[in-house]
Amino acid sequence: MTDEQSPLIVLNPATEEAVATVPGTTPEQVDAAVARAAQAQRGWAALAPADRARLLRRFADTVDSHLDELAELEVREAGHTRGNARWEAGNVRDLLEYAAAGVERLIGHQIPVAGGLDVTFHEPLGVVAVIAPWNFPMPIAAWGFAPALAAGNAVLLKPAETTPLTALRLAELALTAGLPEHLLQVLPGHGTVTGRALTGHPGVRKVVFTGSTPVGKEIMARCAGQLKRVTLELGGKSPNIVFADADLERAAASAPMAFLDNAGQDCCARTRILVQREVYDDFLALVAPAIEAVRVGDPADPATEMGPLISARQLARVNGYLTPDAPVAAQGKAPAGPGFWCAPTLLAPDDPGSPAAVEEIFGPIAVVLPFTDEADALRLANATRYGLSGSIWTRDLGRALRMARGVEAGNLSVNSHSSVRYWTPFGGFGESGLGRELGPDALAHFTETKNVFISTEE
Ligand code: NAD
């Protein structure tokens, strides 16, 4: 049996103990799942909008009544802190409720024309594949499946190799809530087998992918062959820009968790801290003890602020940036022993073009770099191939707006690090992705617009 055919072994990242073994889905099984999904979709799309909305609200309620169980699974398979895991399960509920409210509001246009009536319809695409990552397994899966289902599609969800358990449980809860069989199917498996079978399948009409930029490019190329719709949410190397006129204490107090939340495995992590030169030393004096004080440990302990990395592979990748000559400006502590632990670390490289300063590390490491003025801050902020998020700290409203318009990224926050709300649009510029998810247009992204002209000529 090759690695690609082997079952998925789910490990608890905090202990390295095996949690479960899950068989992968073969290409033949993907074919069968697409056929079943296509049939379920036709029935689902034919339901009255109020009935579809009611079933999705029931699904949301069922998730809500299993919040603790889902959170517990997330702690065990992904090493997330308990507080984060509960928030993530709640986010799935909220996404379903928000999407359910859109079913009866998926309205088209009536456009003035001579000699008749012109109307538009939002037709469902059919079968949609959602290929999810391991960093936020539940919410990111639901960003895709909630609006896709609400718009009348069937969904095939492929979770990441390391985190299939919450997805499998969510599909069971969908059935408990009364959603039709085969409408939401979870197909665990390896990306190169199950993932590729989905992206190459002619019966799949759209692929929603979140993960690494190289895999995103491969998926886009494969989808191009069949003109399959694609949404890509990829990497990030987001700036946290601190001007001298900012509330320095607030900026410094919030900077650590802005890159350490979820152990830095967050595409929106503010991993490039750009500080105006005249307050650089003051900022460092405030931020270093805050980083050193972050509590890293057992994710099931409510006092823990940061858990382990997802896997040995990810730990090795992240440790590659912590060479003996790495310019460490501040470093916290991490447990020894089993588990994929990495200490929170701030690097102060001389070269703003060094790998740690421009590559997505996806671990608890940030860099801090000085800048001189607004133009210099903008130049540094935009000096990566990514463009997902960013924060701007200043008390000058004009400057905040100039910077917010100048930074080439899809999601910016001023005097805050917020990025993702299910009711606001989310997505990246440049190599951070293609298309948008969430927000008021989320359902429309899972439809084709159809224009119909009806003649009134006698
Ligand atoms: P990945 O891109 O390989 O995996 C993401 C998902 O894609 C998984 O479900 C995987 O099974 C699937 N996949 C992998 N290869 C595929 C293929 N050829 N066709 C179809 N599906 C495929 O990510 P990874 O290797 O687990 O992580 C590597 C790096 O990716 C991380 O260090 C990080 O930089 C980045 N990443 C970013 C995000 C994000 O939220 N943007 C999430 C996860 C990983």
Side-chain angles (χ1 to χ4, degrees):
M1 192 183 286
T2 68
D3 277 356
E4 293 186 341
Q5 292 165 325
S6 58
L8 311 172
I9 296 169
V10 181
L11 296 182
N12 181 331
T15 62
E16 300 182 42
E17 283 161 7
V19 174
T21 302
V22 177
T25 311
T26 64
E28 295 72 30
Q29 289 168 328
V30 169
D31 285 346
V34 174
R36 289 194 299 266
Q39 198 180 359
Q41 189 270 330
R42 285 191 284 276
W44 177 243
L47 276 185
D51 292 334
R52 266 195 276 144
R54 186 175 310 107
L55 284 167
L56 289 173
R57 284 196 296 272
R58 277 193 199 144
F59 187 11
D61 290 346
T62 310
V63 169
D64 193 47
S65 58
H66 291 78
L67 218 67
D68 287 326
E69 183 201 332
L70 288 164
E72 190 56 37
L73 268 182
E74 191 86 309
V75 172
R76 285 173 65 211
E77 76 169 341
H80 289 191
T81 60
R82 182 157 278 149
N84 277 14
R86 275 188 64 81
W87 180 89
E88 288 163 40
N91 190 243
V92 177
R93 171 205 55 214
D94 296 345
L95 278 152
L96 284 165
E97 277 177 1
Y98 181 67
V103 177
E104 293 135 309
R105 294 173 176 84
L106 196 53
I107 50 179
H109 293 297
Q110 178 266 309
I111 300 167
V113 285
L117 174 74
D118 194 283
V119 286
T120 63
F121 296 90
H122 292 293
E123 304 288 10
L125 299 171
V127 178
V128 171
V130 176
I131 300 181
W134 42 261
N135 57 334
F136 293 104
M138 278 193 281
I140 292 179
W143 295 2
F145 73 66
L149 292 174
N153 302 281
V155 174
L156 300 174
L157 166 61
K158 197 206 84 63
E161 289 84 337
T162 42
T163 54
L165 301 183
T166 47
L168 288 164
R169 188 68 186 120
L170 283 168
E172 289 172 2
L173 295 179
L175 289 177
T176 307
L179 259 70
E181 228 189 339
H182 309 313
L183 187 70
L184 172 61
Q185 298 176 64
V186 172
L187 311 179
H190 295 276
T192 45
V193 179
T194 315
R196 277 194 187 139
L198 283 167
T199 57
H201 200 295
V204 171
R205 296 314 309 145
K206 175 167 180 167
V207 174
V208 179
F209 170 77
T210 303
S212 61
T213 298
V215 173
K217 287 179 181 175
E218 181 199 307
I219 287 178
M220 190 171 172
R222 282 171 69 80
C223 289
Q226 297 170 352
L227 280 182
K228 215 189 279 298
R229 276 61 180 146
V230 62
T231 300
L232 305 173
E233 298 292 356
L234 309 175
K237 188 73 181 175
S238 299
N240 175 8
I241 309 164
V242 182
F243 283 94
D245 71 354
D247 180 337
L248 214 58
E249 291 191 352
R250 264 184 71 207
S254 62
M257 289 318 288
F259 77 91
L260 295 174
D261 191 46
N262 207 26
Q265 303 165 118
D266 180 341
C267 48
C268 292
R270 305 316 201 255
T271 49
R272 282 188 310 140
I273 307 176
L274 312 180
V275 185
Q276 200 157 16
R277 197 177 286 281
E278 51 262 50
V279 292
Y280 181 86
D281 290 340
D282 292 346
F283 181 85
L284 218 55
L286 288 168
V287 86
I291 289 171
E292 286 153 12
V294 169
R295 287 186 297 266
V296 182
D298 179 3
D301 178 347
T304 294
E305 292 172 285
M306 194 188 109
L309 295 179
I310 187 71
S311 62
R313 182 168 158 247
Q314 192 62 15
L315 179 61
R317 186 179 285 151
V318 171
N319 276 339
Y321 291 90
L322 296 176
T323 50
D325 60 345
V328 174
Q331 193 159 45
K333 292 188 180 56
F340 309 121
W341 302 101
C342 184
T345 305
L346 183 65
L347 302 176
D350 291 331
D351 176 9
S354 64
V358 294
E359 292 172 7
E360 181 177 54
I361 299 175
F362 230 59
I365 303 175
V367 297
V368 60
L369 299 164
F371 69 84
T372 51
D373 55 13
E374 233 175 274
D376 195 32
L378 209 50
R379 184 187 57 77
L380 274 173
N382 289 334
T384 76
R385 59 200 181 104
Y386 295 113
L388 195 54
S389 295
S391 306
I392 299 148
W393 289 81
T394 174
R395 287 190 171 100
D396 179 334
L397 181 60
R399 165 178 286 161
L401 282 171
R402 284 192 300 276
M403 289 297 294
R405 297 302 299 271
V407 176
E408 290 160 12
N411 313 274
L412 293 161
S413 49
V414 174
N415 297 328
S416 148
H417 297 296
S418 85
S419 298
V420 188
R421 294 185 177 84
Y422 58 82
W423 64 100
T424 60
F426 179 75
F429 282 34
E431 295 207 0
S432 284
L434 188 82
R436 292 293 177 269
E437 293 187 272
L438 309 176
D441 301 326
L443 269 63
H445 295 147
F446 291 96
T447 65
E448 288 286 12
T449 300
K450 182 182 284 174
N451 189 71
V452 177
F453 171 76
I454 303 158
S455 170
T456 50
E457 305 274 303
E458 289 193 42

